[in-house]
Amino acid sequence: MEVIIKENYEELSKFAASMISEQIEKKPDTVLGLATGSTPLGTYRELIKLYKENKIDFSKVVSFNLDEYVNLLPEHEQSYQYFMKENFFNHINIIPENYFLPDGMAKNIPQSCVEYENNIEAHGGIDIQILGIGSNGHIAFNEPGSSLGSRTRVKTLSKSTIEDNSRFFENIDEVPRYAITMGIGTILDSRLLILLASGENKAEAIAKTIEGPITAMVPATVVQLHPKVTIVIDTEAASKLKGKYLSEPAKLLLN
Ligand code: GLP
């Protein structure tokens, strides 16, 4: 597990974007696992910038998003499909047939979850999975208590997640109660995980994720089981860590 502490959100975003662009350069048909929330927004902005400077080509890239609300039309401003188009897909040359999100409007949700898993597999699995983290330690919508081997399925959002996400809706009653989310097992199948966190309100969850025991009560702690994970955080999110960590990957410092 590599922990990289950056000075601020901008540096964190640049670093995450550079990891993704290096991967796409090496493998143009990379399969990306993408996340929503405010944390990856800076990374998407940096990637858009690199695309506009002709430094990155998304024409062969495939992507799968982690999660989507149930019963929110794709045109709804708070649907994750809308979010991804507005903040990323509409600004790069990814082919619309090549990006996928769970279908929160599916008639048969359990079946659509199985199909989502099969589709990931049919594309050869996820090369890089971007993750944010909830203040309660959730990843995607795998709330505390989620099975560590879980696959894509419907989850009920916890009270704290509904409260956290209410800032995006007119009032708390409009926040959906259910979401489809990749499972923890699905996430762990990715070849590389990049977990991003910024700000003081993530410090507690980050300290538990990096230095605490693995527990379903803090789903992000499962990243400790993954053979290849990079955690990129800013100094505020790192403020409750006890260990000493670097600001650059060890391999760069060795060069
Ligand atoms: C939502 C998403 C998560 C995300 C979390 C944190 O619940 N489902 O994938 O990591 O919010 O969001 P933010 O980055 O806005 O703090």
Side-chain angles (χ1 to χ4, degrees):
M1 193 161 68
E2 185 148 55
V3 179
I4 313 275
I5 303 178
K6 292 290 178 191
E7 194 76 13
N8 53 43
Y9 179 67
E10 204 191 328
E11 293 303 313
L12 168 164
S13 302
K14 277 191 186 149
F15 183 78
S18 72
M19 282 187 81
I20 296 166
S21 81
E22 272 172 36
Q23 160 71 25
I24 295 175
E25 203 174 328
K26 265 195 283 169
K27 184 177 179 251
D29 58 347
T30 287
V31 180
L32 292 177
L34 298 176
T36 51
S38 42
T39 312
L41 277 177
T43 306
Y44 296 151
R45 274 197 292 271
E46 287 298 326
L47 288 171
I48 293 167
K49 199 166 142 236
L50 292 173
Y51 166 69
K52 295 205 160 136
E53 291 166 354
N54 280 325
K55 290 182 179 149
I56 185 167
D57 175 15
F58 291 93
S59 62
K60 294 198 175 76
V61 168
V62 172
S63 76
F64 287 90
N65 261 78
L66 284 168
D67 45 14
E68 176 61 286
Y69 289 118
V70 168
N71 248 338
L72 221 52
L73 286 167
E75 303 79 49
H76 190 290
E77 279 186 19
Q78 293 309 329
S79 79
Y80 284 169
Q81 175 145 183
Y82 186 93
F83 175 101
M84 289 308 300
K85 285 185 182 160
E86 279 292 291
N87 295 300
F88 196 33
F89 299 150
N90 286 352
H91 308 282
I92 56 170
N93 65 334
I94 192 165
I95 297 171
E97 286 73 33
N98 282 354
Y99 60 74
F100 303 94
L101 287 95
D103 182 1
M105 299 300 290
K107 286 212 173 67
N108 185 338
I109 287 184
Q111 189 191 323
S112 79
C113 293
V114 172
E115 284 166 7
Y116 201 66
E117 289 273 337
N118 291 344
N119 199 13
I120 295 174
E121 217 184 298
H123 283 88
I126 291 170
D127 292 304
I128 293 194
Q129 177 64 59
I130 309 294
L131 294 171
I133 182 169
S135 59
N136 64 0
H138 76 238
I139 44 173
F141 272 127
N142 294 287
E143 296 284 21
S146 291
S147 154
L148 301 187
S150 51
R151 311 303 304 187
T152 303
R153 69 215 183 290
V154 175
K155 285 294 286 179
T156 309
L157 306 196
S158 73
K159 197 167 164 272
S160 78
T161 300
I162 291 172
E163 279 163 11
D164 282 355
N165 289 2
S166 65
R167 68 188 194 276
F168 300 114
F169 292 82
E170 266 179 26
N171 62 63
I172 197 159
D173 297 328
E174 285 190 15
V175 186
R177 269 33 185 178
Y178 302 98
I180 300 175
T181 179
M182 276 188 208
I184 294 176
T186 323
I187 292 168
L188 287 177
D189 282 349
S190 308
R191 292 180 191 95
L192 168 68
L193 301 178
I194 305 179
L195 190 149
L196 307 174
S198 162
E200 236 258 282
N201 68 325
K202 300 291 171 70
E204 186 83 48
I206 282 297
K208 287 180 180 162
T209 298
I210 297 171
E211 296 176 343
I214 297 172
T215 165
M217 293 317 288
V218 185
T221 58
V222 294
V223 301
Q224 295 176 27
L225 292 169
H226 196 282
K228 239 179 138 194
V229 47
T230 302
I231 301 183
V232 194
I233 52 183
D234 61 12
T235 42
E236 287 183 3
S239 59
K240 293 197 171 147
L241 288 170
K242 294 200 173 67
K244 293 257 172 293
Y245 303 93
L246 303 170
S247 61
E248 295 295 340
K251 67 170 190 294
L252 279 187
L253 297 172
L254 286 173
N255 281 338

